[in-house]
Amino acid sequence: MTSENTDDLAYEAATNRRYLTALEARLSRAVPIALAANEKWVGHTPRSGLSYDQLGPLVARVGLDVQDEHLGASFYVGARWLSDFDHAVVSWDAPVAKVFYEPDVDSHEIARHVVVRRTLLERRNDIVKVYDEWLANTSRDAAPFARRRLDVPAAPVPSGRRAKRREAAKGTDASTPADPAGSHESSPRTFETSVMMPTGPARTEETLRRGMRSVEAVDYALRAPRAAALTSVLATLQPDQYRLVTRSAAEPLVVQGHPGTGKTIVAIHRAAYLVSPERPTDERVDRLLLLGPTDEWVRHVDDIVKTLDIERRVSVKSIPAWFREIAQINHALSGELDGSVTDVGQFIKNLFDRGARACREDQPWATGPGARMKNLERLYDYVRGGGTIASPLKLGEISGPWVKTLPTFGAAIRRRRYLPLFAQASLSIMGQPVRRFGHIVVDEAQDVAGLEWEIIRAHNGANGWTLVGDMNQRRHDFGATSWSQVLDRLSAGSDTTRVTTHVIERGYRSTQPILDFAKALLPRSERSAQSLQQAGPAPKVTRASRSAERDPLAIREAERLLAAYPGGTVAVIAVEQRSLEQSLLSAGWRRSERQGDWQKEGRLLALRDAEAARGVEFDAVVVVEPGAFPRNLARVGPLYTSLTRANRELAVVHHQALPDELRRHSRHH
């Protein structure tokens, strides 16, 4: 049974401050952090040279019924290990940390001696809650956590972005939230589905919590206000999540889950785990690419990746920004990334590869200043023209009509629609990527199209893949409709590899009323989403009597939610934003320094479209005019995604008719 232990809170908070101070002192040294005797438990040693912003607090303490030679009667789990401390501190991804994350007697040789696991919840690096979980039939008279007098230093002084985050969070008293067409020939593979929690139409709260650890700590963390950026969840990472995180890099991993099931958490921690110095050399990934959908997503995850990635082996990129880097396009682009089905077809790779060979055989590529753009134009014009009289380019039934639709190079190079095309053209000119990675993790992978997969695949030297996403949130009709199709396209696995899609059905982020409202958009057979947050306000749906009243009404709803969740985050999500911006100005709001954010009297409000809202979350959300969101394949992926960005409360404001699915749900509820 888990119970909150507040008596030891002051002691653990003081120990954490000493731990952070000791780590900060280590950062000033240009030497390895090492302790030979600890190698048995924590493996390879990380290097110093990290800034304060990349520190992470203690997350757990494990009590033993023996005095272990290396660990003592108890040891701590932290974001990274520390030697020369008066307690043993191991990294969250060290082998011995499994006794905390996977409460199983077979998880580690020391597991049979564990009597109590203590979860330490933090708020901006300070320990604010302590929860103890004693093993059944264990005497509480054991004293693995015996306290002793401490000389407690002052809390470390935060710097830069972390200081700003503290300032923004003033007035809150909750802990940091947790969230816990060309083809390639490939051999036939077998695909299976594994569901990560019990299934069935009636799931009680007890069923949802089955297999979890430190449930009270999770409940407490879920009630906390959301920060603008994702913060540490190491203390509440659950056993099923940890098992996915720690799977071998050699096995393709696919994770499917509805919004709020912790897919992004799995992706981030898996990336850090695979490159960690805790891994044996032959199992460690040297360089890893973590890809997501938008720059907003990068800002959301970047801080936590830096905390976990000690040696900076993980490159965090949004797919659009990364494509710009590959093509070396620095000027502004107009329009959206989404083009037509043919604009992102796999056949384009073959077309540009053949075109590049023909151009190179005709004369060498240009070199020197401005050469990249000259070469791109040369290749593009060659393909657009179907080759030359002397060197025609053989076109097919798809590529022939497509090249006739291409605009001039000067027009295409300034449109976001053709960004994947120019990224591929750049690779075709180079012949191979400048940098290849040992593993690639893709978040929101359901939206990656054929040509985009070809570009990503070209950078994957070891063909190591981790794909996370939700097919129900697909935004367009370009890509595969199942994970097995994606894996076949990537030639992931082998004849003997059985690739399993792991389906997570336990939700953490959105409340059940929000999920019930949003999943009305899904086919009836796919409405299984269940949340640990069973209770919460029903989504508030308000219809404006006149179109001119809609946006002011939406802003008033946002202001109501800001008052209801002080210290948290609120967003307005809409397809059309220009009129909302005018209404915000009229209501006294002004643009903040961060793109898409507005401020008024010390409050911040996020204004997002469906694209920018992908992969991020807020305490409360106002969705404006659901009927204006685009449909695809009889689904409303962008709308479904937008409705489920809310953690605590959802409001919908509209003037046009609601989509039929939401209208029927509202009528019956």
Side-chain angles (χ1 to χ4, degrees):
M1 177 179 179
T2 306
S3 62
E4 181 179 355
N5 186 335
T6 57
D7 294 340
D8 291 337
L9 177 58
Y11 180 88
E12 301 297 12
T15 302
N16 180 64
R17 289 195 292 272
R18 293 171 53 250
Y19 166 73
L20 291 173
T21 300
L23 273 181
E24 193 172 25
R26 290 281 186 181
L27 299 179
S28 63
R29 305 180 189 178
V31 296
I33 304 173
L35 182 64
N38 210 25
E39 284 287 304
K40 175 181 177 182
W41 303 106
V42 297
H44 303 282
T45 57
R47 298 275 176 171
S48 60
L50 304 171
S51 70
Y52 175 82
D53 281 348
Q54 284 104 53
L55 294 180
L58 297 171
V59 298
R61 191 176 182 187
V62 178
L64 309 174
D65 63 4
V66 296
Q67 184 75 26
D68 184 82
E69 176 185 359
H70 303 286
L71 301 173
S74 70
F75 65 94
Y76 286 92
V77 178
R80 59 180 50 89
W81 75 280
L82 179 65
S83 64
D84 299 332
F85 195 57
D86 54 21
H87 289 285
V89 181
V90 303
S91 173
W92 69 278
D93 53 357
V96 72
K98 284 189 175 183
V99 303
F100 174 70
Y101 287 109
E102 296 187 56
D104 189 307
V105 294
D106 297 324
S107 62
H108 192 274
E109 61 188 79
I110 201 70
R112 66 182 184 276
H113 295 293
V114 173
V115 294
V116 58
R117 296 176 178 88
R118 173 170 289 176
T119 300
L120 308 175
L121 288 187
E122 59 93 22
R123 174 180 171 233
R124 297 183 301 280
N125 269 357
D126 292 329
I127 303 301
V128 295
K129 286 286 182 178
V130 174
Y131 292 93
D132 282 351
E133 187 173 19
W134 289 83
L135 268 64
N137 303 319
T138 298
S139 172
R140 303 298 177 87
D141 294 333
F145 295 159
R147 295 186 298 277
R148 56 182 180 273
R149 182 178 179 83
L150 292 176
D151 294 323
V152 182
V157 177
S159 61
R161 293 160 66 185
R162 196 176 294 271
K164 292 180 181 178
R165 197 179 306 151
R166 286 195 176 195
E167 185 66 24
K170 281 183 178 178
T172 64
D173 59 3
S175 71
T176 300
D179 197 347
S183 64
H184 291 269
E185 302 213 355
S186 58
S187 302
R189 278 169 294 282
T190 303
F191 304 96
E192 292 187 342
T193 298
S194 169
V195 180
M196 302 303 290
M197 59 168 286
T199 58
R203 297 198 187 100
T204 64
E205 186 170 334
E206 179 183 355
T207 303
L208 286 170
R209 293 170 182 248
R210 189 175 301 160
M212 292 183 63
R213 62 166 188 79
S214 198
V215 175
E216 287 86 347
V218 175
D219 287 343
Y220 182 88
L222 287 174
R223 293 193 299 270
R226 283 311 192 248
L230 197 62
T231 50
S232 176
V233 298
L234 284 177
T236 51
L237 201 63
Q238 293 301 306
D240 56 347
Q241 296 172 322
Y242 193 79
R243 282 189 287 271
L244 293 176
V245 165
T246 57
R247 285 173 66 93
S248 168
E251 303 175 31
L253 176 64
V254 180
V255 180
Q256 157 78 29
H258 66 75
T261 50
K263 301 184 299 296
T264 298
I265 291 299
V266 170
I268 291 169
H269 288 78
R270 179 159 174 77
Y273 178 86
L274 294 180
V275 301
S276 169
E278 300 290 350
R279 306 282 66 71
T281 303
D282 60 343
E283 297 178 9
R284 187 184 187 195
V285 174
D286 183 58
R287 298 206 62 83
L288 185 144
L289 178 62
L290 174 59
L291 287 174
T294 64
D295 291 343
E296 182 82 5
W297 173 89
V298 171
R299 289 190 291 269
H300 188 60
V301 307
D302 197 42
D303 278 357
I304 189 171
V305 173
K306 288 178 178 177
T307 298
L308 300 171
D309 178 22
I310 298 173
E311 297 181 345
R312 297 294 171 267
R313 295 177 181 269
V314 177
S315 296
V316 184
K317 306 283 186 181
S318 73
I319 289 178
W322 186 49
F323 285 178
R324 288 178 67 115
E325 290 179 17
I326 295 171
Q328 295 184 17
I329 293 176
N330 300 317
H331 53 262
L333 299 175
S334 62
E336 300 300 324
L337 181 59
D338 296 343
S340 70
V341 174
T342 49
D343 289 336
V344 289
Q346 284 177 287
F347 72 92
I348 294 175
K349 170 180 166 51
N350 176 269
L351 200 61
F352 275 85
D353 282 347
R354 289 191 288 118
R357 285 195 297 270
C359 288
R360 187 166 51 248
E361 290 171 0
D362 180 56
Q363 67 181 68
W365 296 112
T367 59
R372 175 59 62 89
M373 201 58 63
K374 293 176 184 176
N375 291 332
L376 281 177
E377 183 173 9
R378 179 185 166 197
L379 176 56
Y380 181 87
D381 286 345
Y382 178 87
V383 171
R384 180 171 179 258
T388 63
I389 295 176
S391 176
L393 183 64
K394 185 178 180 180
L395 300 175
E397 294 181 357
I398 297 176
S399 57
W402 174 73
V403 296
K404 295 179 180 179
T405 68
L406 292 175
T408 64
F409 175 80
I413 197 67
R414 297 192 174 278
R415 294 176 64 180
R416 191 172 286 106
R417 167 177 177 170
Y418 297 109
L419 185 54
L421 180 154
F422 284 112
Q424 176 57 55
S426 182
L427 290 178
S428 297
I429 291 169
M430 289 187 293
Q432 62 181 4
V434 174
R435 171 182 289 179
R436 289 167 70 85
F437 298 89
H439 197 96
I440 296 181
V441 180
V442 185
D443 196 5
E444 303 290 343
Q446 74 278 352
D447 285 325
V448 179
L451 177 60
E452 296 166 337
W453 278 126
E454 292 301 318
I455 298 168
I456 298 170
R457 181 183 183 184
H459 290 78
N460 198 337
N463 203 32
W465 296 100
T466 296
L467 312 178
V468 303
D470 180 8
M471 283 294 172
N472 286 319
Q473 295 186 64
R474 291 181 63 209
R475 297 169 47 255
H476 51 61
D477 302 339
F478 300 164
T481 58
S482 70
W483 294 116
S484 60
Q485 290 178 10
V486 174
L487 291 166
D488 265 339
R489 174 171 291 167
L490 298 175
S491 299
S494 66
D495 291 345
T496 58
T497 300
R498 188 178 296 276
V499 181
T500 301
T501 297
H502 299 272
V503 180
I504 308 177
E505 294 196 345
R506 182 193 295 120
Y508 298 91
R509 183 177 65 225
S510 300
T511 64
Q512 195 62 48
I514 293 173
L515 287 180
D516 288 342
F517 183 79
K519 68 187 182 184
L521 296 168
L522 304 180
R524 190 173 298 276
S525 61
E526 298 177 22
R527 299 177 187 175
S528 61
Q530 294 290 319
S531 174
L532 285 173
Q533 300 189 80
Q534 289 288 298
K540 180 181 178 182
V541 181
T542 307
R543 182 167 190 173
S545 57
R546 296 185 302 114
S547 60
E549 296 176 352
R550 185 197 64 191
D551 292 346
L553 181 58
I555 293 167
R556 288 197 295 273
E557 277 297 300
E559 291 176 335
R560 174 184 69 82
L561 293 170
L562 281 166
Y565 301 96
T569 53
V570 176
V572 177
I573 304 177
V575 172
E576 173 54 48
Q577 297 188 33
R578 187 167 301 176
S579 61
L580 276 163
E581 291 174 348
Q582 292 300 318
S583 295
L584 282 166
L585 290 169
S586 298
W589 289 86
R590 297 295 179 263
R591 298 181 190 273
S592 74
E593 296 179 356
R594 179 172 170 176
Q595 183 178 2
D597 284 358
W598 293 70
Q599 59 185 2
K600 177 182 177 181
E601 299 172 354
R603 297 175 296 174
L604 283 176
L605 177 64
L607 178 60
R608 302 286 188 268
D609 59 19
E611 173 71 13
R614 297 165 65 201
V616 298
E617 59 186 88
F618 306 90
D619 285 279
V621 167
V622 181
V623 173
V624 181
E625 210 63 84
F629 284 71
R631 279 185 176 270
N632 67 292
L633 294 174
R635 301 174 190 246
V636 194
L639 176 58
Y640 177 65
T641 301
S642 299
L643 293 172
T644 54
R645 297 309 90 191
N647 174 47
R648 306 295 299 161
E649 189 167 351
L650 171 67
V652 173
V653 176
H654 67 108
H655 172 65
Q656 304 174 18
L658 287 174
D660 290 343
E661 301 92 336
L662 297 183
R663 181 171 47 80
R664 287 193 294 268
H665 179 276
S666 298
R667 186 170 63 243
H668 293 137
H669 294 79

